[in-house]
Amino acid sequence: GAGVSQSPSNKVTEKGKDVELRCDPISGHTALYWYRQSLGQGLEFLIYFQGNSAPDKSGLPSDRFSAERTGGSVSTLTIQRTQQEDSAVYLCASSLGQVALQFFGPGTRLTVL
Amino acid sequence: LAKTTQPISMDSYEGQEVNITCSHNNIATNDYITWYQQFPSQGPRFIIQGYKTKVTNEVASLFIPADRKSSTLSLPRVSLSDTAVYYCLVGEGFQKLVFGTGTRLLVSP
């Protein structure tokens, strides 16, 4: 596609439920990143993929968070047993490589009630 | 990764030049300085990147003094559509980006 796409654009869930957020990177981009942005805050790095492997998972806040990438393309961020503090906008970015310019998607706004 | 400090907010009027300064006293030799722009409900968008001296593109200019401990993003003749949050980032190229809280620029008529 022309840009990075994310789905859903908005997700409202109840505390304790699991959610899956999807990211479709720009075709051909080998690197993929997930960030989280809480209201009025800057972006918080979560995880980075190079191809299908994740050399840097340092930003995942807890073991309730996991991510995978298949076929070197689509990535899914899964949050298990969601908590209210997980409410944020989850942003995905992709780039041609680790040292290449990152292009961001529009984000998924997650609200945990 | 070098820590950056920038003003929380700035106000301007249409047609004025806006300069946003970012401090990065602990910048490393291999670090680049990158600026992103973010509109509400959108992901950040790359504006400009530089290593030293001055860089200019169709959107902005980036001024970096010789000691590289600070940098200034210059937006010429801002319009209402330049109202956004501007992030200064320092690191090796475009690797894992560390965003601060940014500078919220408000452009008024």
Side-chain angles (χ1 to χ4, degrees):
Chain A
V4 178
S5 61
Q6 294 184 246
S7 61
S9 55
N10 282 285
K11 176 71 175 179
V12 180
T13 190
E14 293 179 347
K15 178 181 173 180
K17 295 288 180 73
D18 297 352
V19 295
E20 283 190 352
L21 312 180
R22 176 187 169 107
C23 172
D24 282 90
I26 293 173
S27 178
H29 279 195
T30 57
L32 186 148
Y33 304 76
W34 282 99
Y35 297 85
R36 178 169 72 173
Q37 186 171 32
S38 300
L39 186 63
Q41 301 298 310
L43 278 71
E44 173 190 4
F45 169 80
L46 297 178
I47 189 170
Y48 151 66
F49 287 92
Q50 181 61 47
N52 291 334
S53 64
D56 190 347
K57 303 179 182 179
S58 63
L60 294 178
S62 75
D63 58 7
R64 295 186 296 104
F65 288 72
S66 63
E68 65 175 11
R69 189 179 185 196
T70 56
S73 180
V74 172
S75 176
T76 303
L77 177 68
T78 301
I79 309 173
Q80 296 178 311
R81 305 181 302 282
T82 53
Q83 304 294 313
Q84 288 183 331
E85 60 263 28
D86 299 334
S87 296
V89 175
Y90 289 81
L91 287 153
C92 173
S94 72
S95 69
L96 283 171
Q98 188 185 6
V99 293
L101 171 60
Q102 292 186 27
F103 293 85
F104 284 80
T108 292
R109 181 176 299 278
L110 175 66
T111 303
V112 182
L113 302 176
Chain B
L1 294 169
K3 176 181 169 57
T4 61
T5 303
Q6 52 185 124
I8 294 175
S9 64
M10 294 183 68
D11 295 322
S12 184
Y13 293 96
E14 283 189 292
Q16 290 190 334
E17 177 183 78
V18 171
N19 296 308
I20 305 175
T21 296
C22 179
S23 297
H24 28 79
N25 291 320
N26 296 323
I27 190 169
T29 303
N30 295 332
D31 286 344
Y32 283 76
I33 300 157
T34 310
W35 286 80
Y36 276 77
Q37 174 192 55
Q38 185 178 28
F39 297 112
S41 302
Q42 294 187 23
R45 182 176 72 118
F46 169 81
I47 302 176
I48 197 165
Q49 185 185 65
Y51 183 80
K52 62 179 180 181
T53 63
K54 176 184 175 182
V55 179
T56 297
N57 62 22
E58 64 277 8
V59 176
S61 294
L62 179 60
F63 298 92
I64 306 169
D67 65 5
R68 303 198 330 121
K69 293 184 182 301
S70 68
S71 58
T72 299
L73 174 72
S74 181
L75 304 173
R77 299 179 298 282
V78 295
S79 64
L80 297 177
S81 62
D82 292 316
T83 293
V85 178
Y86 293 82
Y87 295 97
C88 165
L89 301 101
V90 173
E92 293 188 40
F94 297 100
Q95 292 182 11
K96 182 178 75 176
L97 299 176
V98 178
F99 288 77
T101 52
T103 297
R104 190 171 300 272
L105 172 65
L106 175 62
V107 180
S108 301

